[in-house]
Structures are given as C-alpha cells and as structure tokens.
Amino acid sequence: PPPPAALPAVEEASSGPPTEGGIELVDRGVGAGLAPHERGPEGTVPVVRFDVEAYLARTPDLPATMADFTPWPVPAPGANDRYYTNLFRETEGNDGAYAFLNVWDNWGAFSGDTSIRQVSVSAGNVCGSLGCTPNQTIESGLIEYGPEPHGVTLDAADPTVFVYYTLDGYQTPGDFAGGYNALVAGWVQRSPVMAPGLSVPQDLSVHNGTQVAARVDVRLFRGNWWVGFDGIFMGYYPASIFAEVDGLRNQGERVTWYGEVFDSFAPDPSPTGMGSGRHAEERFGRAAYVRDPVRYMDGDTGLGAWSCVEDTRPATDPDCYSKLPMIGPVSGRSSFRCYTYYGGPGAWDGSCN
C-alpha cells in the first residue's frame, strides 16, 4: 500500500518563544535521511545492520532468536528502574498523533541505560501489582543506549530513530508479539531513505545556540499504522495484527508524549541524562522541549486537532528529571502553539538520590 501523501513543508518557527539573543530555530524536514550515495538501487529499502565482528569479540554466544538480540530495555513502566516526565496526554479516540521533539545528544546513555523521547499511541490496559500498563502500543521517537559492559549488540550512542510495538502489555517480545524496529516480525519497511535504527549524528541542538526539532508521526492510514520521522513515512505496522477489543485494530484510545530513562543502576539513581541533560527550569536554548502535539482525528485525510492537554501526572523524581507546566495554547501561532520543557542530569544533580 502507498504511504500517506508527503507532509507539507514545515513553516518557520518565527512565532516561537523568546530567542534570547537571536537563537536560531531549525526544523529538520522533508529531504532528510540517507544521502543519495548511501541509498540502494531503485525499489529497495535500507536494512540497518550491526557490527558482527564487534559483537563476536565481546560475547561468544549468539542469540537464539532476533527477539533475544536487542539489549534495549522495553519502554514499559516499571518500579524503581525507570524515570518519566510525562508531558502531554490525550485520552480521546484517535487515529494517531504527532509532535515536534527537540533533538539533542546528551552525555548518556551510560552502560545499560536508555534515554528516550517519544510519541506513543496505545489502547487497553494490563494491570498488576505495580499498576497498569497499556495493553497494545505503537511508539516512536529517538533513543540513546549505553553499551553493556559484557557484550553489546546494538550501540546507539547518537540519537537513533526507533519504532516499538507490543500486543500484550510488554510481556512477550517476539515475532508478531512485540519488539524494536525490524528485529521482530511486524514492522514493514517502505521508505528507501529513512528507517528505524538510523542515527541522527548531525543537525543537533546546541546549548545557547541553534535549536533543532524533528517531527514524529504515528498515523492510521488505510488499514496500516504508518510511522514517520522528519516528514518521511518510514513504514508501517499492519492494523490487522492488533486486537479489536482493548487494541489498536481500528483506532487508538490514548496518545502520550514523554521522556524516559531506564536506570540499570537501580536502586541507585542513573547518571544518564534525559532530553538535553539540563533541568526543565533552564528553558529555551538549554532544556529540551516538545511542541505542537496534534491528535489525528481522521488518519485517512490527515485531519487533526491540537492536543494541548497537559499530562498532570508528576515527574517520577523531579530532583533527577523535571518538567514544566504546559505553555499555551497561544492562538494565532502556526508553531509553538503549545509546548513545554523537560529533562535533567540524573545522578549528576546532588539532590537526585
């Protein structure tokens, strides 16, 4: 099936927050992705591979299945090993969502940790002793992963595009059950220039300098959940693999935008940064932001509505990673209509314990 029509060019963010001495605002946009000399022949799609020699040098054991291959912890809620800054949350029925995520390369992630900023579309709930988690999700954004000390499979020191899905509340990874990128069956790659697993080493935000943002889309279009990055729809999950009841077969129940750190040092606090690695209170040019969240009301036509609904759940530990209340909505703006700041340095803040 064809992807949704190409996204329109992103407007200049001239109506954004105070630029504090002329800080430049840049939106990564259509045309990003693999350079022409990096692309395959016409009709092919990229396959993101790993460094086999580096892997075999660190561990003699090959994984039994691709589901066992990725070391990245699943982006699921947990007890004391995860930190969240939940920014926006919409509980209306939807055909997906998008937002612009401020792109930073902070000093993490440290060994075994992940630092994530993402958009999530979910439905249903699975409840247990630690609370409730979504039953089915599609998630996408940017991840940074700190290599394991005794064997690494997929390093992601640079911000790296990812997709993730689960059919059973993060309980069973595997083919047509859940997992990252194309490491498990379910994801269908379509774009020849952009794919999950590609890193974003360039066009990054700079402290007190140029601020860069990337648009992340999850959109139900003609029976498939398409995922886009930088204005390019990379591929899709067939809606048919999801459940009709408490699932994503026909629509989503919630959309959420948030930052997350998985803490492999738990119960000690993680030294991995979230966002820019600076607290939300430092604001524009220093703290990371998420702006202009939109909920798709009709994925086939692309009809959407501003989703400036603040997620009132507190940050897991504001001394480690913080967030500010939503700013806006501000009428008459095409960008920065509503936005907020989040992130932090983790254990580098002496109050984080």
Side-chain angles (χ1 to χ4, degrees), residues 138 163 165 167 174-189 224-225 235-242:
I138 298 172
V163 294
Y165 81 107
L167 300 185
D175 291 345
F176 298 110
Y180 282 101
N181 302 352
L183 295 173
V184 295
W187 173 254
V188 180
Q189 178 67 32
N224 296 306
W225 283 99
Y236 62 86
Y237 292 107
S240 59
I241 70 175
F242 296 93

Side-chain angles (χ1 to χ4, degrees), residues 31-50:
L34 294 175
H37 71 277
E38 298 174 312
R39 302 172 190 175
E42 185 175 353
T44 64
V45 297
V47 177
V48 180
R49 303 186 184 278
F50 71 103

Side-chain angles (χ1 to χ4, degrees), residues 95-127:
D95 280 358
Y98 72 82
F100 290 86
L101 309 183
N102 197 196
V103 182
W104 291 85
D105 183 6
N106 62 51
W107 57 75
F110 281 80
S111 177
D113 285 7
T114 56
S115 182
I116 295 176
R117 61 287 260 168
Q118 71 171 31
V119 177
S120 170
V121 178
S122 61
N125 283 301
V126 176
C127 297

Side-chain angles (χ1 to χ4, degrees), residues 150-313:
H150 303 298
V152 61
T153 54
L154 292 176
D155 287 339
D158 294 320
T160 299
V161 182
F162 81 93
V163 294
Y164 183 90
Y165 81 107
T166 180
L167 300 185
D168 62 358
Y170 307 97
Q171 297 180 53
T172 310
D175 291 345
F176 298 110
Y180 282 101
N181 302 352
L183 295 173
V184 295
W187 173 254
V188 180
Q189 178 67 32
R190 287 300 305 270
S191 170
V193 299
M194 181 65 73
L198 292 179
S199 63
V200 185
Q202 299 176 337
D203 294 333
L204 302 172
S205 297
V206 178
H207 285 288
N208 295 316
T210 300
Q211 295 299 294
V212 179
R215 175 169 165 167
V216 176
D217 281 76
V218 179
R219 175 178 169 184
L220 181 61
F221 179 77
R222 298 182 182 176
N224 296 306
W225 283 99
W226 287 83
V227 181
F229 184 83
D230 259 5
I232 300 170
F233 283 99
M234 302 180 289
Y236 62 86
Y237 292 107
S240 59
I241 70 175
F242 296 93
E244 289 193 33
V245 179
D246 292 332
L248 292 169
R249 175 74 61 89
N250 300 309
Q251 67 169 1
E253 294 179 1
R254 297 173 296 273
V255 290
T256 312
W257 297 263
Y258 58 92
E260 175 187 355
V261 164
F262 171 80
D263 180 9
S264 65
F265 297 83
D268 294 328
S270 169
T272 290
M274 180 190 291
S276 69
R278 303 289 186 96
H279 276 297
E281 291 77 9
E282 296 197 38
R283 296 182 181 253
F284 186 72
R286 292 170 292 279
Y289 64 78
V290 174
R291 68 170 176 84
D292 301 325
V294 168
R295 169 174 56 93
Y296 281 115
M297 301 169 64
D298 186 330
D300 287 344
T301 64
L303 177 65
W306 293 104
S307 190
C308 299
V309 179
E310 182 178 351
D311 192 328
T312 57
R313 292 174 294 176

